[in-house]
Amino acid sequence: MACRRLYSRQVSSAVQGLRLSRPSSQPTAAFSLSRATHSSQVEAAKSHSHRDGGRRRRQSSQSSGSRFLKPILLCGAAIPLSVIDYSDKKDGKSKEEEVLPPLPARQRKELLQKADEMHKVYKYQEEYELLFPHHMTKDTEVLWRLARVSILCRPFAASMHPLVERMTKQAFHLAAEAQDLRPDCAMCQLWYGITLNHLQVYRSSDLKLQDVGRMYAAFTKAVELNPRHAYAWHSLGSWHYHVADVSWLTWKALEYANPNMEKGSFERARECLERAEETEPGFYLGNLHYLADTYEKLKLADLLEETLHKMVRTKPDTDSDVSYIQVASDRLNKIKKKRG
C-alpha cells in the first residue's frame, strides 16, 4: 500500500510536466506537451505579427484553395452567440436530448457543400452559424465539421475565458459523439483527437494521462482509415514528437495509465511528418516546423537547414505562416553565426 501511495505521488508530480499550450493560441497543433521548444519559438514570433491584438488573414492574390486548417480569426469579429453548455457532461457523453430528424439527401448535400466552401475561404463565423442549428443531428458529417469550426471560431482570449471554455467543450462533445456514432470515419477520429487536445487545459491530472493514449489511438486510427490525409499524419507525428520529448518520470506515468500505448520516438515522428509532406507538399508550414525540430533532435544538420530554407522561401498566406517563417529565419541566422 505504501508503494502504491508513493507511485501515485510520483505520477501526480509527473503530470505537472504535461503543460499544454493555450488552446486559442495554436488551433492547428495536434498535441503539445510543453517540453518541446516549438511553442515558445512560435509564440515569440507571433508577438511581431499580432500587433493588432488578433489573428488576421494576410491578403494574397495567389490564394489557391484551402490548406486544411487556417488559424485565422479576427479578434474583433462577431463571435457566436449560440453555444451549448456541456459543463455538466463528462467525456463527451450527453444526457438524453432531442434528436433532429435526418435532412433530405439534397438539402444535406447542399449544406455540406456550402459549409466546405465557406471553410475554404476562411468564413468560419458564417460556417458556424450555418451548421449550429443542426447540432442536435446524428449526422456525423455535420457533427465533425461543427466541432472543427467551433475550435476555429473561439475568441482570441485566455483559455479560462468562459466563452473559450464553453466552445472548446462543445467542440469536444460534438467530435466525441461523431466518433462514437461512426468509428470508421477518419475525420471523426482526427477531430476527436484534436478537440481532446484542446480540452486538456480543463482536465484533471489523471484524465490528462489517459487522454494521451486516447489521442494516440484516434490519430493512429485516422491514418489507418485515410492514409492520404496529410493532417492526420501531421497529428500523429506531432504526438510522437512531444511524447518522445517528455521526462523519464512523465513517460512512466503515461505508460502506467496506457499500458498498450506505443512509446513516442523522434524517429517515428520523422516518418509521420515526412509522410504528411509527401502526401500534400506545403499543406501547412507548422508541419515543416515540426520536421525541423525533429531533425534537430536527431542531429540531422543538413536536413534541418534544408527544411528551414524551404520555410523561408515559402510565401506566407496567414499571420501564422509569418510567425513560422520568422522562427525559421532566426534559426538560420543562428546557424550562420555559429559557422562564423
Side-chain angles (χ1 to χ4, degrees):
M1 183 65 69
C3 291
R4 179 172 294 183
R5 286 198 298 271
L6 174 61
Y7 189 79
S8 178
R9 286 198 297 272
Q10 291 176 329
V11 168
S12 179
S13 298
V15 173
Q16 302 312 312
L18 298 180
R19 300 169 303 166
L20 292 123
S21 61
R22 293 183 304 159
S24 60
S25 67
Q26 188 70 340
T28 56
F31 187 76
S32 44
L33 292 173
S34 69
R35 285 195 69 206
T37 58
H38 98 284
S39 294
S40 59
Q41 293 174 329
V42 175
E43 288 302 322
K46 280 185 178 180
S47 64
H48 300 290
S49 59
H50 291 161
R51 294 190 181 93
D52 59 352
R55 281 169 290 186
R56 56 184 171 77
R57 180 182 175 187
R58 292 178 61 83
Q59 300 299 322
S60 171
S61 60
Q62 296 181 352
S63 179
S64 55
S66 74
R67 299 180 187 178
F68 182 66
L69 284 175
K70 290 284 185 178
I72 316 153
L73 181 65
L74 286 173
C75 186
I79 56 177
L81 298 178
S82 301
V83 183
I84 313 165
D85 186 2
Y86 288 117
S87 58
D88 61 338
K89 299 178 176 67
K90 298 180 180 179
D91 296 324
K93 304 301 180 184
S94 64
K95 299 175 182 177
E96 290 298 322
E97 297 170 332
E98 179 185 357
V99 178
L100 291 177
L103 289 173
R106 183 175 178 179
Q107 187 178 346
R108 176 181 181 271
K109 182 179 180 181
E110 290 175 353
L111 175 72
L112 297 179
Q113 284 181 344
K114 194 170 183 180
D116 289 342
E117 288 169 2
M118 290 175 176
H119 193 80
K120 288 178 180 179
V121 292
Y122 325 118
K123 294 182 178 179
Y124 299 142
Q125 175 72 22
E126 294 179 28
E127 182 187 0
Y128 183 92
E129 292 172 351
L130 174 71
L131 294 174
F132 185 81
H134 304 276
H135 70 270
M136 303 296 288
T137 185
K138 292 296 181 182
D139 189 331
T140 57
E141 291 296 314
V142 174
L143 290 174
W144 73 254
R145 283 175 171 82
L146 182 53
R148 174 181 67 180
V149 78
S150 294
I151 289 292
L152 295 174
C153 261
R154 295 173 307 171
F156 187 65
S159 59
M160 290 306 169
H161 187 287
L163 184 58
V164 176
E165 181 176 355
R166 287 181 65 183
M167 293 194 72
T168 303
K169 291 180 176 179
Q170 169 181 287
F172 172 67
H173 174 86
L174 293 166
E177 187 174 6
Q179 185 210 41
D180 194 44
L181 289 168
R182 194 178 164 199
D184 62 343
C185 171
M187 296 301 288
C188 295
Q189 293 288 350
L190 176 62
W191 278 98
Y192 173 79
I194 292 174
T195 56
L196 181 57
N197 171 62
H198 289 296
L199 191 70
Q200 294 307 290
V201 71
Y202 313 111
R203 304 281 267 186
S204 68
S205 297
D206 290 343
L207 284 176
K208 283 183 180 181
L209 287 173
Q210 297 170 24
D211 288 345
V212 174
R214 294 187 182 113
M215 282 184 261
Y216 169 74
F219 295 144
T220 301
K221 189 68 175 176
V223 298
E224 288 176 358
L225 291 167
N226 186 1
R228 296 297 302 166
H229 200 296
Y231 207 85
W233 282 109
H234 166 77
S235 299
L236 183 58
S238 60
W239 182 94
H240 273 281
Y241 177 90
H242 288 294
V243 174
D245 205 37
V246 300
S247 67
W248 178 86
L249 183 58
T250 302
W251 167 248
K252 284 301 177 184
L254 291 170
E255 189 177 38
Y256 181 80
N258 308 280
N260 298 319
M261 186 178 71
E262 180 183 1
K263 187 172 183 178
S265 72
F266 294 120
E267 291 79 8
R268 181 65 175 141
R270 176 189 175 182
E271 292 174 11
C272 294
L273 296 169
E274 287 180 343
R275 179 72 177 270
E277 205 62 33
E278 291 167 5
T279 300
E280 189 178 343
F283 77 104
Y284 172 44
L285 263 178
N287 191 66
L288 290 176
H289 183 87
Y290 269 101
L291 257 179
D293 283 350
T294 303
Y295 291 145
E296 187 171 30
K297 291 289 184 181
L298 295 172
K299 303 187 186 306
L300 301 171
D302 291 343
L303 288 174
L304 166 62
E305 195 167 350
E306 179 184 332
T307 303
L308 293 176
H309 278 295
K310 186 184 295 185
M311 292 177 68
V312 170
R313 290 194 299 266
T314 302
K315 186 173 182 179
D317 190 39
T318 70
D319 278 348
S320 182
D321 289 347
V322 172
S323 301
Y324 284 123
I325 291 170
Q326 182 62 53
V327 170
S329 179
D330 292 344
R331 293 173 76 176
L332 281 172
N333 289 335
K334 288 180 180 179
I335 291 173
K336 290 176 182 177
K337 285 182 180 179
K338 284 184 180 179
R339 288 178 180 167

